Amino acid sequence: MQPALTGSRPQPTGSDTRRLRDCLGRFGSGVSTVTYAGDNGFRGITISSFTSVSLDPSLVLISVGRRARACAGLRNASFVVNVLAADQVPLALHFAGRPQSALAVPWLDQDGVPRLDGTVAWLLCRPWRTYEGGDHLLFLGEVQDFAYAPGDPLLFQDGDFRRPGPQIVLPPAPETA
């Protein structure tokens, strides 16, 4: 039996927050850029917190920091989750707040919602629910359309961009009687 959790927990200090971030960074994730139509044209934000939630209905979740301008733009807006290809690091950086001046963003229009060309996958979503998530907002989108292509996805782990490595060969399953 676990003891009941009571009382308030101490708030992490700056060094605890950094250590927690480093700990969480050990979990490698794919890199996606979420695109949407803003007041001043097509907009996007690079995220690493994207996950499938449900197949019926078809739901995905994105997590966006509250301080990001995209929070306001994504409220009640359709969006596309663009799963970036391993060669799209400049796009990832551009939409992560590090503009790449020579970059020509490969915009496409997907039923009135912007998406990026050359990705390994994309999912067009209409807004389903938004939840509070501490210093982030969690946007659930209902998938309306999607496509995927061959190629390596862009990954992020330990503060670095990566690409998938060699496939791990599993030993044969033991025979059952």
Side-chain angles (χ1 to χ4, degrees):
M1 177 187 274
Q2 288 186 318
L5 297 176
T6 60
S8 63
R9 296 207 173 239
Q11 293 297 311
T13 65
S15 63
D16 289 342
T17 302
R18 179 73 248 172
R19 288 181 57 234
L20 176 58
R21 187 178 178 111
D22 290 346
C23 180
L24 294 170
R26 296 295 300 145
F27 181 74
S29 63
V31 180
S32 301
T33 295
V34 174
T35 51
Y36 57 97
D39 292 338
N40 299 324
F42 293 166
R43 309 289 298 167
I45 183 170
T46 296
I47 63 170
S48 59
S49 296
F50 155 65
T51 189
S52 62
V53 173
S54 170
L55 293 176
D56 187 18
S58 301
L59 301 175
V60 297
L61 178 144
I62 60 171
S63 177
V64 179
R66 285 181 182 277
R67 295 188 308 204
R69 288 184 301 228
C71 275
L74 286 166
R75 284 218 182 258
N76 302 310
S78 292
F79 59 90
V80 173
V81 177
N82 301 272
V83 180
L84 298 183
D87 64 353
Q88 292 182 308
V89 171
L91 279 173
L93 292 170
H94 182 78
F95 289 108
R98 293 172 45 193
Q100 308 293 293
S101 58
L103 179 67
V105 177
W107 293 112
L108 296 174
D109 187 304
Q110 189 64 43
D111 300 325
V113 182
R115 74 174 177 88
L116 300 171
D117 195 18
T119 61
V120 295
W122 57 266
L123 301 100
L124 171 65
C125 302
R126 72 175 177 183
W128 198 73
R129 302 277 192 288
T130 301
Y131 296 101
E132 303 287 324
D135 60 0
H136 280 60
L137 289 179
L138 309 176
F139 295 93
L140 266 69
E142 185 174 16
V143 178
Q144 301 297 297
D145 196 4
F146 65 92
Y148 55 94
D152 286 339
L154 181 60
L155 306 177
F156 194 76
Q157 181 194 0
D158 290 332
D160 293 315
F161 290 107
R162 301 172 185 269
R163 67 175 54 241
Q167 181 179 357
I168 296 173
V169 178
L170 299 176
E175 293 186 30
T176 56

